[in-house]
Each structure stands twice: as C-alpha cells, then as structure tokens.
Amino acid sequence: TVNSAPAAPTVLAETSVTSSGFTANWQAVSGATEYRLDVATSVGSTATDLFISEYFEGASGTEKGIEIYNGTGSSVDLSNYRIWKISNGGSWPEAYIELSGTLANDDVYVVIHPSSAFANLTAVDDMTSGTLDHNGDDAVGLAKNISSVWTLIDAVGEDGVDPGTGWAVAGTANATVDHSLIRKSSVMGPTTNWATSAGTTTENSQWTLSSGGLNADAADFGSHTFSGGSPTYVSGYENLDVDNVTTYPVTGLSSST
C-alpha cells in the first residue's frame, strides 16, 4: 500500500561528459523500485508572474471565487499581492483583499466568498472574503507591490467601463455573468489588456467557459493546467524506464546542443 508519492530524486552532477553524451546521476529514494529519466534540450518556459487562472460568478448571489496560479518556477510571497475589485465602471481599486502566505510553484491560491457552497472545503479554497462579492459587470484584478507601489498586473474586466450586464468573452455575450472562466493552459502570464485577454472568438481568447456553461459551478477550482512551453525531449529519453539504478549513460547527443 502506497500512502504517499515518493520524493523526487535529487539530481547529482553529470560525469563522463563528452561531445555526444554524459552519465546522468541521482540520489536513491527510499522505497523506490525503479526510476524514469528525461533528457531535454529545453525545459520549457515559466510564467512571467502570478495570474488569475479562474474566475467564478455563479447564479447565486454569493457564489463568487477567484483562483490565482503560480507558474514562475519558484515559490512566491503572497503578501506582495492583492485582489482588487471595482463596481459598475469605477476606478481601481475601490476595494481590495490582502493575501498572505507562500504559494508554491505550479500551485493555486483560491479565494471564495464565505457564503459560497465551496467555502471551507479544504480541497478547494485557501481563503474566504466577503469583499469578493463581484457581479458580472464588476471588474476583478490582481495587483502587485512593485517598488512600494501597488500596481494592477492582471484583470477580468476593466476600469471606467460599465458593460451593462457583463463582458463578452471568447465571443460569448455576458460571459462574466453566471459562468466560470478558465485561463487557457497556453497563457504565460498576466495582462491588464482586457480586450486581448477576453478576445472575440474561442480561438483568440485567453479564456474558456467551463463545460457547465451558464450557471456553472466552481468544480474546476483547486488546480490549473499550465503548458509552459513543453520541454523538447531528446529522442528516446522521455520518461525512459531505467530500472532500479542511480546512474545511467546518455548517448547519441548532438555536439553543442
């Protein structure tokens, strides 16, 4: 019976380096019975900063939520970030939510209204706040402390604009009302350009509407898929089963690559 996933092996310095290969080395992991090896010419890209990975505005007046994703490659101190909110065409920020703690790389931080059905579910929310009470025509943003100045870095909606019922996203009218919007895995960082973010079609938008469509719930909260520019693997060395060893020769590489 496996109670938890084993720790990832600690990679050690390569040895026997030539122009066409090297020997990969790593530390043994207690309880491991086999290892798998990746060798790549690029490891992919990281996000430029934290960004809003999901926006939720449900049919009920208290079903509100925001998910923030960290794909930067390192843990981030959340005290340097705030959630901002404005109502009915106001200006940033009319209200804000202070964040705290540390957000690990490839993890999300979820803020939900305390009266939401998803509040206090440990698998879903990290924080509840009554300030998160946006309707579909209210903009929600992510701000960062940059050189002691709180600066907007990402947003759903825009300031100074009252869209009426809600904003169109991906060609769907009023998509910010009674919907869950999920950031596409290809998005690499935040933007304050709402027109670019919202898009006009399903192809050029940075968002997809949840499969539940109108009145969808926040079932997608708690994780985010981030492509990050997938690694470029060397042929034959992607998820290679090398059995129960802690050293393995890598051969057939191209010189200077």
Side-chain angles (χ1 to χ4, degrees):
T1 300
V2 178
N3 294 319
S4 62
T10 298
V11 177
L12 303 177
E14 66 276 10
T15 55
S16 303
V17 179
T18 70
S19 62
S20 61
F22 62 92
T23 297
N25 307 286
W26 57 91
Q27 289 182 344
V29 175
S30 177
T33 58
E34 70 173 26
Y35 297 88
R36 292 179 179 267
L37 177 66
D38 290 332
V39 180
T41 57
S42 68
V43 297
S45 303
T46 56
T48 57
D49 210 324
L50 304 190
F51 59 85
I52 298 171
S53 50
E54 184 163 355
Y55 160 99
F56 177 54
E57 201 285 325
S60 168
T62 58
E63 294 302 332
K64 321 287 184 181
I66 293 292
E67 178 186 271
I68 298 168
Y69 176 71
N70 177 16
T72 63
S74 303
S75 296
V76 171
D77 182 359
L78 287 174
S79 66
N80 290 316
Y81 295 83
R82 289 176 176 176
I83 292 176
W84 281 4
K85 195 202 78 170
I86 51 179
S87 302
N88 306 322
S91 299
W92 301 108
E94 293 179 340
Y96 65 86
I97 301 169
E98 293 185 333
L99 306 181
S100 62
T102 300
L103 182 59
N105 179 57
D106 198 30
D107 199 2
V108 296
Y109 191 87
V110 177
V111 182
I112 289 179
H113 191 281
S115 297
S116 167
F118 293 89
N120 302 314
L121 298 178
T122 56
V124 176
D125 74 299
D126 296 286
M127 176 183 180
T128 60
S129 174
T131 301
L132 198 67
D133 58 355
H134 55 281
N135 293 316
D137 60 346
D138 301 330
V140 179
L142 178 65
K144 182 179 182 179
N145 186 346
I146 301 175
S147 300
S148 299
V149 178
W150 287 99
T151 305
L152 184 74
I153 62 171
D154 201 19
V156 175
E158 57 186 322
D159 69 331
V161 176
D162 186 346
T165 301
W167 277 279
V169 178
T172 298
N174 298 324
T176 52
V177 182
D178 299 345
H179 282 100
S180 181
L181 304 179
I182 301 169
R183 212 71 174 263
K184 290 181 178 177
S185 62
S186 58
V187 174
M188 299 297 296
T191 177
T192 56
N193 188 326
W194 173 238
T196 297
S197 178
T200 56
T201 67
T202 56
E203 289 75 22
N204 65 24
S205 177
Q206 293 188 359
W207 303 87
T208 59
L209 275 64
S210 63
S211 57
L214 187 65
N215 300 333
D217 62 28
D220 295 302
F221 271 139
S223 65
H224 177 66
T225 300
F226 179 65
S227 60
S230 300
T232 303
Y233 294 103
V234 174
S235 178
Y237 291 99
E238 179 181 358
N239 199 32
L240 177 64
D241 185 348
V242 296
D243 205 5
N244 192 13
V245 298
T246 56
T247 182
Y248 193 85
V250 177
T251 61
L253 302 183
S254 298
S255 180
S256 301
T257 300

